[in-house]
């Protein structure tokens, strides 16, 4: 399996996500998008995408013009059925790339807040096997 990791700042690498992927035999290719590393021209050979966090907002396209191309890549990947996992900014990128409006929350979110399962989680293919 070939996994493309989209990284947005050096201090927020894929960490344990990468460890788990490597333990399972995946080939991981990191692209530090904020440093100007080019995105792949096609999705050929990419089996999954992991998008990490970053200090910027998905809406900061004027300050970070690379967000436009990254969102286009993510939208194309999702439409083509390439599995996608996002963390923090990565989730904002997914939502925005698919047409959702992403806006600032009432208060800053720093760290890992508690996560609670909804009743729908019991039927979800990702979350149904977890003990809540």
């Amino acid at each position: 399996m070939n996994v493309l990791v989209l990284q947005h700042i050096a201090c927020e690498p894929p960490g344990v996500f990468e460890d788990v992927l490597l333990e399972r035999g995946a080939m991981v290719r990191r692209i530090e998008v904020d440093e100007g590393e080019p995105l792949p021209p096609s999705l050929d050979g990419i089996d999954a995408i992991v998008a990490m966090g970053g200090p910027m907002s998905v809406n900061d396209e004027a300050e970070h013009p690379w967000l436009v191309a990254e969102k286009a890549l993510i939208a194309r990947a999702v439409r083509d059925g390439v599995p996608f996992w996002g963390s923090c900014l990565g989730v904002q990128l997914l939502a925005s790339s698919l047409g959702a409006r992403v806006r600032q929350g009432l208060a800053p979110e720093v760290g890992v807040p508690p996560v609670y399962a909804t009743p729908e989680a019991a039927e979800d293919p990702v979350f149904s096997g977890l003990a809540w």
Side-chain angles (χ1 to χ4, degrees):
M1 172 179 272
N2 293 307
V3 179
L4 176 66
V5 174
L6 303 171
Q7 190 171 330
H8 305 100
I9 189 167
C11 66
E12 294 193 26
V16 72
F17 295 133
E18 185 174 57
D19 295 343
V20 170
L21 290 166
L22 293 172
E23 286 170 7
R24 287 166 172 73
M27 300 293 295
V28 175
R29 177 182 170 205
R30 280 197 220 179
I31 295 178
E32 201 160 328
V33 187
D34 65 309
E35 291 294 326
E37 292 182 26
L39 295 169
S42 83
L43 296 168
D44 292 341
I46 296 173
D47 299 307
I49 296 175
V50 174
M52 300 310 302
M56 63 288 299
S57 165
V58 73
N59 299 316
D60 292 343
E61 293 176 358
E63 298 89 349
H64 307 288
W66 46 264
L67 286 165
V68 175
E70 186 175 11
K71 287 190 264 187
L73 175 80
I74 292 168
R76 191 169 72 241
V78 172
R79 281 194 302 272
D80 289 353
V82 176
F84 179 91
W85 181 265
S87 175
C88 196
L89 175 63
V91 175
Q92 291 182 32
L93 287 162
L94 175 64
S96 180
S97 73
L98 298 177
R101 181 173 165 237
V102 179
R103 54 189 162 85
Q104 186 173 353
L106 298 175
E109 292 181 17
V110 178
V112 180
V115 176
Y116 303 97
T118 63
E120 293 81 7
E123 303 299 320
D124 185 89
V126 173
F127 298 110
S128 63
L130 299 176
W132 295 93

